[in-house]
């Protein structure tokens, strides 16, 4: 952190300490759906953060990317698309290039991760429809498969109760940004029926030339609950995004005017829709059966100008998955025991037409998994589980290896100990894997799956009713890691399995205090040492990874119905993507501040209104959190300068 930034941070941090917004990380009695065995946050041997619907409403965030920036230091954000959430990327635990392929993003059981090198479409997540977000910062390959080798972000839209709520919200701000959200949720308790639906539209001209976007969203569903705990659930979604691709800038261009674009004609159009269905049957007091089915389609059209005119691309993806599970909860030898046994089959089909190169690729994946949670004592629980997965891919246009099969396995074992009622400590060891994307090939040869081992240990605690804290330490070694190397191969820019293992060691810290209607503060800090272990790059830092991320958020109630909030996110310097040799200058460190006011009247005719004004990048910091190295040097993707947003909502 340079002297100017440090001085600015030291000047503002004390003020923010009187004002902070709780980071939603305390030990809550909420069932964490991502555990699949109805465990609470306190019962799971992992670092878990739960962001509730109330937290989202009071955060001032307008989309999922901005929410993650303000709420989690454990999540690294690459601002490839500026204000456009459809282009921005999330990663965790020191995975930089293509780190999004190691973080599973789920929305009501639907997997947002793709089988190609396209990052999850985060514009698909409409915050107006979200009930809560679960962030698990540890490998979850046993329960969730190849995309969860660094963690899981699970978004839940199903309401927690039957209370009826409807909400209308309009917002607008810098760069001709405006939008509307309409949502309703509730139910009929006497019938056991819940419903929810949300519609959203967002438009912006964007921070940079040709970064404009229009995004349409709808999702909704119904759930029938039965007296014995069984249920039927159906939901559907639709998303359409039409946006420009502003591309990268040279170093000179970035410093001269970061709002410019060298690709004023490039564009991308993406449409996706799908259906999710699940049913839980109760056999008896000890046994349940669950069946989940998801189906989705993604259509994409894009155009890129390489200097000789536009090249057009068109490709479509169909994805289907079915997953039966048996859940057993019983007492063995006087000890509580929970066991889950699941199987799955997933089919993905990608059809496309690159210029003069039509192709079809399909992938069949199936396997089984099991996990056991055995209560050794009232305060000590042992967890262990394993997964076997078989994958078969076929590419119609590959002359060398059109077919590929892989057999992978993962396992984990953990202990969680409750020292006191509001505290837990844990330790966990995992083996994980990641299957290569279908376009992660080298000279027509499909790559090997990467795998690795991780150890996590830490704890979380609530104390004095208003305070909470937590720490998670991790050590990870990855083998056959897949990366895009611009200097490898005959023509460069070739995907390959790195010949040497990589190491990632670090920790996440969090601490907070909140007093209702008074004030609060939350602090998050993540440190990651990510480096190559052996070979030509030995001890070099892994690109696209900030060693330190510091997050400070604050909130103070000025009067009973008006609050001020603000915060800072600091990230240390990092090497650009693909700079394995560490021979280029690092991207500089930066600290970005936000500040806002929120008015929530509680009586009178305005009761139910929420009025929020927020300024992001308060001091108009010119910075870049993602750049790529190639034959021509750096390619910078500028982050957004100062922007403001006004939101007016009414809930009834």
């Amino acid at each position: 952190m340079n002297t100017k930034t440090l001085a600015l941070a030291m000047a503002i941090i004390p003020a923010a300490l009187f004002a902070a917004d709780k980071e939603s990380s305390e030990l809550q009695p909420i069932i964490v759906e991502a555990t699949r065995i109805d465990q609470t946050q306190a019962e799971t041997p992992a670092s878990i953060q739960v962001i509730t619907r109330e937290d989202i409403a009071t955060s001032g965030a307008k989309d999922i990317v901005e929410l993650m920036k303000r709420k989690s230091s454990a999540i690294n954000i690459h601002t490839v698309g500026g204000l456009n959430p459809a282009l921005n990327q999330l990663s965790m635990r020191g995975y930089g290039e293509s780190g999004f392929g190691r973080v599973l993003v789920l929305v009501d059981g639907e997997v947002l991760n793709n089988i190609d090198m396209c990052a999850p479409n985060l514009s698909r997540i409409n915050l107006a429809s979200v009930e809560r977000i679960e962030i698990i910062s540890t490998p979850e390959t046993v329960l969730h498969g190849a995309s969860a080798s660094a963690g899981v972000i699970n978004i839940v839209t199903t309401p927690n109760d039957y209370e009826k709520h409807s909400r209308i919200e309009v917002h607008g701000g810098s760069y001709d940004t405006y939008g509307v959200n309409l949502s309703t949720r509730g139910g009929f308790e006497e019938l056991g029926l819940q419903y929810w639906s949300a519609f959203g539209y967002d438009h912006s001209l964007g921070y940079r030339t040709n970064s404009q976007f229009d995004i349409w969203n709808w999702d909704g569903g119904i759930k029938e609950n039965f007296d014995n705990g069984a249920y039927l659930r159906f939901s559907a979604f639709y998303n359409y995004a039409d946006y420009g691709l502003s591309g990268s800038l040279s170093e000179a261009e970035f410093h001269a005017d970061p709002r410019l674009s060298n690709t004023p004609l490039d564009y991308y159009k993406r449409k996706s829709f799908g259906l999710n269905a699940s049913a839980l049957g109760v056999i008896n007091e000890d046994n349940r059966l669950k069946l989940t089915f998801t189906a989705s389609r993604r259509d994409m059209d894009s155009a890129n100008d390489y200097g000789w005119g536009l090249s057009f691309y068109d490709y479509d993806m169909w994805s289907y998955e079915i997953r039966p599970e048996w859940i057993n909860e019983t007492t063995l030898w006087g000890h509580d025991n929970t066991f889950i046994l699941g199987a799955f089959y997933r089919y993905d089909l990608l059809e496309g037409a690159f210029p003069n190169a039509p192709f079809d690729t399909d992938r069949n994946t199936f396997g089984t998994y099991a996990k056991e949670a055995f209560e050794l004592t009232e305060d000590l629980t042992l967890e262990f589980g394993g997964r076997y997965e078989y994958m078969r891919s076929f590419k119609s246009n590959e002359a060398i290896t059109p077919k590929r099969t892989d057999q992978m396995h993962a396992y984990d074992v953990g202990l969680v100990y409750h020292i006191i009622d509001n505290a837990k400590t844990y330790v966990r060891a995992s083996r994980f894997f990641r299957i290569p994307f279908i376009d992660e090939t080298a000279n027509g040869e499909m790559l090997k799956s990467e795998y690795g081992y991780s150890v996590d240990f830490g704890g979380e605690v609530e104390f004095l009713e208003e305070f909470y804290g937590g720490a998670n330490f991790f050590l990870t070694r990855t083998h056959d890691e897949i990366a895009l190397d611009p200097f490898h191969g005959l023509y460069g820019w070739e995907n390959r399995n790195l010949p040497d293992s990589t190491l990632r060691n670090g920790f996440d810290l969090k601490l907070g205090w909140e007093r209702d209607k008074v004030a609060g503060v939350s602090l998050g800090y993540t440190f990651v040492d990510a480096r190559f272990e052996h070979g030509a790059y030995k001890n070099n830092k892994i690109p696209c990874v900030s060693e330190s991320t510091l997050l400070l958020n604050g909130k103070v109630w000025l009067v009973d119905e008006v609050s001020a909030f603000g915060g800072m996110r600091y990230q240390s310097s990092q090497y650009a993507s693909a700079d394995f040799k560490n021979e280029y200058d690092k991207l500089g460190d930066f600290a970005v501040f936000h500040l806002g006011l929120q008015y929530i009247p509680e009586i009178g005719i305005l009761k139910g209104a929420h009025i929020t004004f927020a300024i992001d990048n308060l001091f108009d910091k010119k910075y870049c959190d993602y750049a790529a190295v190639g034959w021509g040097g750096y390619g910078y993707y500028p982050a957004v300068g100062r922007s403001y947003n006004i939101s007016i909502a009414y809930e009834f």
Side-chain angles (χ1 to χ4, degrees):
M1 185 184 286
N2 59 46
T3 304
K4 183 179 178 181
T5 301
L6 180 60
L8 188 58
M10 296 306 294
I12 292 183
I13 286 173
L17 287 173
F18 286 96
D21 153 57
K22 193 174 182 182
E23 196 183 337
S24 316
S25 301
E26 71 273 19
L27 303 184
Q28 304 177 53
I30 295 174
I31 298 298
V32 180
E33 289 191 7
T35 66
R36 289 194 171 158
I37 52 176
D38 290 346
Q39 288 179 313
T40 65
Q41 185 175 349
E43 295 170 330
T44 307
S47 175
I48 298 178
Q49 180 181 355
V50 178
I51 302 173
T52 66
R53 184 172 181 80
E54 181 183 359
D55 298 325
I56 295 170
T58 59
S59 70
K62 60 182 177 294
D63 57 51
I64 185 71
V65 176
E66 193 166 89
L67 182 69
M68 293 297 101
K69 283 183 179 180
R70 296 180 183 180
K71 288 292 185 180
S72 179
S73 65
I75 294 179
N76 192 33
I77 296 155
H78 290 150
T79 313
V80 180
L83 288 169
N84 186 358
L87 286 172
N88 295 329
Q89 303 172 4
L90 307 178
S91 60
M92 298 169 70
R93 293 171 70 100
Y95 286 96
E97 180 71 28
S98 300
F100 56 81
R102 300 165 178 91
V103 179
L104 181 67
V105 182
L106 295 168
V107 180
D108 295 327
E110 177 217 351
V111 176
L112 261 63
N113 300 64
N114 302 302
I115 63 171
D116 62 349
M117 294 177 68
C118 188
N121 176 17
L122 299 177
S123 75
R124 158 78 177 81
I125 304 164
N126 182 355
L127 288 183
S129 68
V130 175
E131 186 67 33
R132 69 179 182 276
I133 300 173
E134 304 162 355
I135 303 171
I136 303 182
S137 304
T138 192
E140 286 292 334
T141 312
V142 167
L143 289 178
H144 293 285
S147 297
S149 59
V152 174
I153 301 174
N154 185 45
I155 292 119
V156 180
T157 67
T158 308
N160 285 328
D161 52 39
Y162 295 92
E163 190 173 351
K164 295 178 176 65
H165 294 280
S166 294
R167 181 182 174 95
I168 302 172
E169 185 247 352
V170 293
H171 55 267
S174 303
Y175 316 115
D176 196 31
T177 300
Y178 57 84
V180 61
N181 288 301
L182 309 173
S183 63
T184 186
R185 61 183 54 227
F188 305 92
E189 189 168 3
E190 65 278 10
L191 300 176
L193 184 65
Q194 294 173 290
Y195 62 85
W196 61 97
S197 180
F199 164 81
Y201 168 71
D202 286 284
H203 164 86
S204 179
L205 291 182
Y207 174 65
R208 299 177 59 198
T209 301
N210 197 34
S211 64
Q212 73 281 353
F213 60 85
D214 289 276
I215 298 172
W216 302 79
N217 262 311
W218 175 83
D219 61 80
I222 57 173
K223 183 180 180 184
E224 176 76 10
N225 299 294
F226 300 95
D227 292 339
N228 64 350
Y231 66 77
L232 290 171
R233 183 189 181 284
F234 298 93
S235 64
F237 71 90
Y238 175 85
N239 170 269
Y240 178 76
D242 183 349
Y243 47 89
L245 300 172
S246 50
S248 63
L249 299 175
S250 69
E251 183 175 4
E253 291 168 334
F254 169 69
H255 290 296
D257 187 355
R259 300 188 63 182
L260 294 177
S261 171
N262 293 317
T263 56
L265 300 178
D266 290 13
Y267 69 82
Y268 201 113
K269 297 180 181 181
R270 172 164 28 189
K271 177 174 65 177
S272 59
F273 52 90
L275 171 71
N276 307 314
S278 60
L280 180 72
V282 178
I283 300 174
N284 54 39
E285 190 177 77
D286 298 334
N287 295 282
R288 292 172 291 161
L289 290 177
K290 185 178 180 180
L291 182 65
T292 304
F293 173 77
T294 65
S296 63
R297 177 172 173 171
R298 187 185 75 181
D299 300 333
M300 294 148 288
D301 297 288
S302 65
N304 298 89
D305 186 354
Y306 297 110
W308 54 80
L310 287 175
S311 297
F312 296 93
Y313 302 84
D314 178 16
Y315 50 110
D316 306 318
M317 179 187 295
W318 291 261
S319 297
Y320 308 92
E321 182 173 346
I322 187 167
R323 186 176 66 249
E325 294 173 316
W326 169 49
I327 304 166
N328 174 261
E329 295 178 331
T330 188
T331 301
L332 292 177
W333 309 296
H335 300 271
D336 289 342
N337 171 78
T338 302
F339 175 75
I340 182 172
L341 175 65
F344 66 93
Y345 171 73
R346 181 177 177 89
Y347 176 73
D348 297 285
L349 173 63
L350 180 64
E351 295 182 332
F354 286 3
N356 303 316
F359 67 90
D360 295 317
T361 301
D362 64 40
R363 172 175 285 179
N364 293 269
T365 311
F366 61 88
T368 185
Y369 54 89
K371 195 151 196 178
E372 170 84 15
F374 187 78
E375 192 175 277
L376 299 172
T377 70
E378 187 176 343
D379 300 318
L380 182 65
T381 301
L382 170 67
E383 272 195 17
F384 56 93
R387 183 185 190 94
Y388 168 80
E389 195 163 312
Y390 177 89
M391 181 273 294
R392 176 188 176 276
S393 291
F394 178 80
K395 301 185 72 173
S396 63
N397 65 330
E398 291 290 359
I400 301 175
T401 55
K403 296 181 180 179
R404 177 171 178 84
T405 61
D406 266 307
Q407 298 184 63
M408 292 76 59
H409 68 279
Y411 52 78
D412 58 38
V413 58
L415 283 169
V416 58
Y417 177 60
H418 294 92
I419 307 171
I420 55 177
D421 288 343
N422 293 321
K424 74 172 183 180
T425 58
Y426 58 85
V427 61
R428 184 175 185 177
S430 310
R431 185 191 193 275
F432 58 84
F433 61 82
R434 183 179 83 85
I435 301 171
F437 297 125
I438 59 171
D439 45 359
E440 282 183 317
T441 61
N443 291 325
E445 295 285 350
M446 294 188 182
L447 301 176
K448 295 183 292 184
S449 295
E450 66 185 35
Y451 69 97
Y453 303 89
S454 183
V455 175
D456 289 71
F457 56 95
E460 298 178 351
V461 63
E462 292 178 15
F463 54 99
L464 301 179
E465 296 185 352
E466 298 176 341
F467 295 84
Y468 71 92
N472 179 68
F473 299 83
F474 60 89
L475 304 93
T476 302
R477 174 181 280 112
T478 307
H479 301 274
D480 293 328
E481 184 167 334
I482 301 167
L484 179 64
D485 190 338
F487 306 111
H488 183 75
L490 182 61
Y491 302 106
W493 292 106
E494 187 173 274
N495 293 294
R496 65 165 176 157
N497 292 105
L498 296 176
D500 305 296
S501 57
T502 55
L503 294 175
R504 293 170 174 85
N505 305 317
F507 56 85
D508 304 312
L509 303 177
K510 55 193 175 188
L511 182 65
W513 165 81
E514 181 183 44
R515 180 171 294 175
D516 190 35
K517 291 290 186 177
V518 178
V521 62
S522 66
L523 177 70
Y525 176 69
T526 295
F527 172 84
V528 182
D529 179 24
R531 64 179 64 241
F532 295 93
E533 187 175 15
H534 303 293
Y537 302 138
K538 182 177 180 179
N539 289 327
N540 284 6
K541 294 289 188 176
I542 293 174
C544 286
V545 179
S546 291
E547 193 170 78
S548 293
T549 301
L550 175 64
L551 186 65
L552 177 67
N553 282 309
K555 189 167 191 173
V556 61
W557 291 91
L558 305 176
V559 295
D560 200 38
E561 297 176 335
V562 180
S563 60
F565 62 89
M568 177 201 75
R569 184 182 181 95
Y570 164 77
Q571 286 186 212
S572 62
S573 59
Q574 58 179 302
Y575 287 100
S577 172
D579 185 12
F580 304 121
K581 298 178 181 180
N582 292 177
E583 60 183 357
Y584 291 86
D585 292 337
K586 288 184 175 182
L587 293 176
D589 63 345
F590 59 87
V592 179
F593 298 81
H594 71 275
L595 188 65
L597 287 171
Q598 193 164 64
Y599 173 48
I600 307 178
E602 297 179 347
I603 58 174
I605 60 173
L606 291 179
K607 183 180 180 180
H610 291 67
I611 302 173
T612 304
F613 173 75
I615 303 175
D616 200 27
N617 197 352
L618 182 64
F619 301 104
D620 201 22
K621 173 72 174 177
K622 183 190 292 186
Y623 72 101
C624 180
D625 60 25
Y626 181 80
V629 170
W631 294 115
Y634 260 30
Y636 286 83
Y637 290 82
V640 179
R642 182 192 295 118
S643 64
Y644 70 89
N645 184 66
I646 300 173
S647 169
I648 301 173
Y650 183 69
E651 188 168 312
F652 55 94

